Structures are given as structure tokens and as C-alpha cells.
Amino acid sequence: MQQEKKTAIDAIEQKASLVCEVADHIWDYAELSLQEVRSAALYCEVLEKEGFHVEKGICGIETAFSASYGSGRPLIGILAEYDALSGLSQEAGSLVRKERISGGSGHGCGHNLLGAGAFAAALGIKAFLERSSCPGTVILYGCPGEEGGAAKAFMARDGVWRDLDAALTWHPEDVNEVETGSSNSCIQVQYKFTGMASHASGAPEKGRSALDAVELMNIGVQFLREHMSDRARIHYAITDAGGCSPNVVQPRASVLYMVRSNHVSEAVELQARVDRIAEGAALMTDTTFERKFIDGLADTVTNHTLERVLYDNFSALGVPQYTKEELEYADALAKTYPGSEGLPGVAAENDEKLREEVAVLRKEYGHAMNAFLAPFYQGEAFKAGSTDVGDVSWLTPTAQIHVAAWPNGCPGHSWQNVSCDCTEIGHKAAVHAGKVLAASAVELFLHPEILEEARKEFEKRTAEGYTCPIPADAVPVIPD
Ligand SMILES: [Zn+2]
């Protein structure tokens, strides 16, 4: 291995116990979206101790931070997340559903590992920059509220990502791979209608029904669906139907709308039409409404140039290896959910030939953990879900990897994930992700011409310009 990369990898190995300790503390705190006070404080504390320049509460978000080291360009950002999910408290390393805290939350998306792996990468890159004559700066961004907060999009609105030469990140998964492809943009707005309560039979003429307004709004949107592009989606949930008494004209009712498209500019336009339908519903029912912007995020812009760098480094470093006990645990955990026999990863999903390759790799390894690197897929992929990494990718070349942290097919946001996220399997994923990201960043620092190429691809893919889905006056909202 190249000496510069070895410097970064050795530093991560030396700090591996610190990385895992941090991952376990964050797992234990299990703080929800935009409430990650202890988690963010822990990162800021260890990063300061490790010699990073830390800025807390950036973009007016209490639990967001940046930690930088180095000077001058290139400027490479590493993205960390650390929020948990409600209702998923779970014992670690367990094969049965067993809450640690009744009704508590848990790291069902592995963000305790995600943050720790990003932290590991930053430590490795810092070690390289310290010992190299190469100019450059690494910034670890603490990005809270990924689960329903879209903090990265708010940070995008406030101009955070635009100055970076590249952003790298990862996510725990059931597979080792370079992630690629686009995703859906998504905007959430809540409409709260207010009418007038009245006896529904005795004085109906005095009543103004907020529930009628919600129903008419839903009908209006139903007609809109015929006149939008096939790539758009609109979902809703009635979050307050105004009570349970039919003999009371409902004075209040609320509906939460989610508008999606694989182009953020289209989602923003469509969302404005939904606003006008709400106005129409209020007019028809003689009610008023309050519009509350919840969050918005953009679709993801792929960068094949950076993905190639990630793949080459992943390939050179190999994948996490497991002990017999770890494999037995993962095999047993996989038996606790159905569908654990599917084929993982973006390559298997999009390419027939690569799908066969993945099938062979899985069969050869013969365990629930996928201890192989999935083949490299460089076609144009698309996933219908949404992530706020999208907003980063519209402002700087961005790429990400997945590292196996769970058995094959392990359902997202499940107790099985929480259980696995505080075991050696999870630790290995975080440390390994740190190594792949650090080695890739070192390559970019040493070869700025790759960054130039990535920039050219980025400019081509984002020629239409970024439409920020976050209004100028919106503030992040803690989800209900
Ligand atoms: Zn996640």
C-alpha cells in the first residue's frame, strides 16, 4: 500500500478503540432527530481533543457542528449522522426482541456507526495531512436530523456545501459496495385548518368544518395527480381529524402532505400547486389554514468519477472479516426475519449479469453476513426513497459507500439492526468505512486532477442548477 494511505490507515487502527467507544456511547444515548444533544457534544469533545477546530451549532442548528483540520485546498468534507429512531430500544447482541428501555428509542438505521465511521475517516485523513507536505483541509460535518429533519438541506440553504471540492460519506447496510444512483426529492408540509365548532344538528349553519376542508383538499390533490408527471408522487396523512364526535362540526383538522419527484425543481413546483389547493379548500369551506413547512430534500446527483476512487480503495482494502461466533450470531439473527435470502446491493438490483455474480459470491461465502465486495455498477440507477445527502450532492461532487453491518436482507429500521449495531460486527463496519473513506480522500488530496474530473462530471449533471427545497425563513422542525 502507498505510504500516504498507510499513514491514514495505521492512525485509524491505533484509534479503533476510541471510534468503537464513541459508537457505543451514541448507541446508548439513542437520541432522536434534532435532539442529539449528548451525541453532538461527545463528538465535539473528542474532536477537540484530537486537535480539530470545532464549530458548534452551525447554521443555527444546535446539534450540527463542523470539525476541521489542515489549511488550504483541496477541501474535502466527510458527513456524519447520529440520530436514532423512536420505539426501537433493544438489547445489544440479542437474538430476540427485548427492549432496554420501555418505549425508548434505538439506532435502527445504524447512525451510531455512521457517525463513528466518518469520525474514523477524519482521524485518518488528519494523520495523513499532518505528516504530508500536501496542502488541504478535511472537515467532518456533524449532520443531525437525517430521520425526518433534513438538516443537510437546511445546511445547503445556508451555503455549507458549495465551497467543498468533494464530500464523502457512507451508510451501514447488509452489503459492501459503492453506492450509486439517484433518489427522490421530497417536501413535507403540514396544513392546519381552523373552522367553527357548532352542534352539527342543532345549529349546522353556524358551523364551519375544518374536516371538510381537509377532505376537499384531498379531493383537489386527487385531481392534480392526473396532471403531474409520472415521476412525481404525492402522499398524505390526516394527522388530526378534528375529534371523534360526529355531532360536533369539527373546528380543527390537519393533514400532512409529502410531495416527491426525482427532480427537486419539479417537487418545489408541485408543492406550490398543493398550497393553492389548500387555499381553494379553505375558500370553499369558509375556514382558514396555517401552512407549516416541515422539511424538504433534493434528489441525489451521482458522481461516477468519485465512485471509481471509492471502489478502487475499497477493493484494495478488502472487506471486514468475522470470527466464527460473529458469523453464528449473524446467521441466527437472519433467521428472525423473512426474506433474508434476497440478493443485496445496487449492482444486483440493476444488472442481470452482476446479479448472477452476487448470487455466486453469496453462495460461496455461505453465511448471512456478506463478506465480499459487491461488483462495481456504473449505470444510472434510481431508488424511490429520499435522503438529505441529495442536497449535498447538488452543491459539490459527492459519493458514498455501504459497509456490511447487518446480516443479508436485515430489514431497515428494525430491532435486529439495533441489536447488531452495538456488536463487534457493527464496530468492524464503522472502522472499515473510516479506512475506505480516508484512503479515498488521501488519493484525492494527492491527485487534485481527479477532483477536477469529478467537478466536470458534477457540472454536467447539475447544469440546471440547484433548486433549494427549503424556504428562506424555514427552521428545522423536531418531528412529532
Ligand atoms: Zn440512515
Side-chain angles (χ1 to χ4, degrees):
M1 192 194 303
Q2 211 177 343
Q3 187 50 47
E4 288 92 340
K5 286 183 188 172
K6 198 174 173 305
T7 302
I9 303 297
D10 288 350
I12 293 172
E13 265 165 21
Q14 278 161 21
K15 298 277 180 184
S17 57
L18 172 67
V19 169
C20 299
E21 220 175 275
V22 168
D24 289 352
H25 278 305
I26 307 288
W27 183 90
D28 185 40
Y29 301 159
E31 294 169 297
L32 297 176
S33 181
L34 299 168
Q35 300 168 66
E36 316 90 333
V37 179
R38 293 172 79 193
S39 306
L42 175 61
Y43 274 119
C44 290
E45 188 193 318
V46 290
L47 283 157
E48 259 167 7
K49 264 192 210 150
E50 291 295 326
F52 286 78
H53 171 71
V54 175
E55 278 183 53
K56 298 172 188 170
I58 59 169
C59 302
I61 305 171
E62 189 192 351
T63 52
F65 65 85
S66 69
S68 58
Y69 181 84
S71 62
R73 302 196 83 99
L75 205 56
I76 293 183
I78 307 287
L79 314 178
E81 297 169 12
Y82 32 83
D83 54 338
L85 292 153
S86 62
L88 279 178
S89 173
Q90 167 66 33
E91 294 283 351
S94 169
L95 291 170
V96 290
R97 173 74 175 121
K98 195 172 169 215
E99 284 185 310
R100 282 172 69 231
I101 299 162
S102 173
S105 38
H107 272 286
C109 206
H111 293 182
N112 65 312
L113 302 174
L114 200 171
F119 169 54
L123 292 175
I125 299 165
K126 175 178 177 273
F128 155 74
L129 288 172
E130 252 168 0
R131 279 162 217 148
S132 144
S133 54
C134 199
T137 306
V138 57
I139 310 181
L140 178 71
Y141 284 100
C143 307
E146 197 279 331
E147 304 288 359
K152 292 185 202 73
F154 285 89
M155 292 158 90
R157 179 198 60 187
D158 294 355
V160 169
W161 317 112
R162 204 177 283 276
D163 205 33
L164 295 176
D165 291 298
L168 302 177
T169 191
W170 78 291
H171 202 291
E173 255 299 343
D174 64 348
V175 63
N176 298 293
E177 66 172 351
V178 174
E179 167 71 324
T180 188
S182 184
S183 58
N184 262 329
S185 161
C186 182
I187 303 172
Q188 286 197 91
V189 177
Q190 187 177 47
Y191 302 87
K192 271 186 175 170
F193 289 88
T194 304
M196 181 76 76
S198 163
H199 195 295
S201 181
E205 74 283 2
K206 290 187 178 152
R208 297 291 181 269
S209 172
L211 182 58
D212 286 359
V214 164
E215 289 195 68
L216 285 166
M217 178 175 178
N218 289 348
I219 290 168
V221 172
Q222 179 61 11
F223 277 88
L224 169 64
R225 286 194 180 92
E226 192 188 345
H227 304 287
M228 57 187 215
S229 79
D230 289 345
R231 59 192 187 186
R233 303 274 183 275
I234 306 182
H235 326 297
Y236 71 94
I238 297 178
T239 50
D240 177 7
C244 54
S245 307
N247 58 349
V248 177
V249 173
Q250 288 82 0
R252 49 155 229 284
S254 300
V255 59
L256 178 62
Y257 265 90
M258 194 179 261
V259 174
R260 292 192 205 250
S261 159
N262 65 352
H263 278 280
V264 62
S265 53
E266 182 181 55
V268 170
E269 273 172 34
L270 206 50
Q271 209 291 311
R273 291 177 74 187
V274 174
D275 279 353
R276 292 199 287 278
I277 290 172
E279 282 170 29
L283 268 177
M284 282 189 279
T285 50
D286 202 14
T287 57
T288 57
F289 77 98
E290 223 180 276
R291 173 191 187 277
K292 189 177 170 195
F293 179 85
I294 305 293
D295 62 24
L297 44 85
D299 49 298
T300 309
V301 182
T302 294
N303 195 289
H304 287 334
T305 313
L306 291 182
E307 283 159 14
R308 163 60 66 188
V309 175
L310 288 173
Y311 183 79
D312 290 345
N313 284 282
F314 211 154
S315 202
L317 285 163
V319 299
Q321 301 298 316
Y322 308 104
T323 62
K324 193 170 154 280
E325 290 73 27
E326 286 159 7
L327 289 174
E328 279 169 6
Y329 163 71
D331 289 345
L333 191 63
K335 292 200 175 83
T336 67
Y337 53 85
S340 57
E341 279 316 304
L343 293 174
V346 68
E349 212 170 283
N350 288 281
D351 185 302
E352 196 65 36
K353 210 175 134 272
L354 299 181
R355 194 180 157 74
E356 280 165 30
E357 266 180 53
V358 173
V360 171
L361 286 165
R362 256 198 70 61
K363 207 170 163 210
E364 275 174 2
Y365 191 64
H367 285 283
M369 289 309 294
N370 287 317
F372 55 84
L373 179 61
F376 192 36
Y377 179 70
Q378 286 245 284
E380 298 296 320
F382 172 72
K383 271 188 196 140
S386 303
T387 166
D388 63 358
V389 174
D391 296 84
V392 183
S393 72
W394 270 95
L395 294 172
T396 190
T398 303
Q400 44 187 332
I401 55 167
H402 288 152
V403 180
W406 310 312
N408 189 57
C410 199
H413 297 195
S414 62
W415 68 261
Q416 286 92 344
N417 281 5
V418 185
S419 178
C420 217
D421 286 337
C422 193
T423 64
E424 275 309 297
I425 293 174
H427 291 162
K428 285 178 179 178
V431 171
H432 202 76
K435 288 181 186 175
V436 177
L437 296 181
S440 304
V442 167
E443 187 160 337
L444 297 175
F445 280 118
L446 293 173
H447 298 281
E449 70 277 10
I450 305 175
L451 285 169
E452 273 168 41
E453 202 188 312
R455 172 72 47 181
K456 273 188 207 146
E457 182 184 347
F458 165 79
E459 274 164 8
K460 226 163 124 190
R461 288 179 182 271
T462 58
E464 70 179 80
Y466 172 54
T467 302
C468 184
I470 311 287
D473 58 350
V475 290
V477 178
I478 293 173
D480 289 337

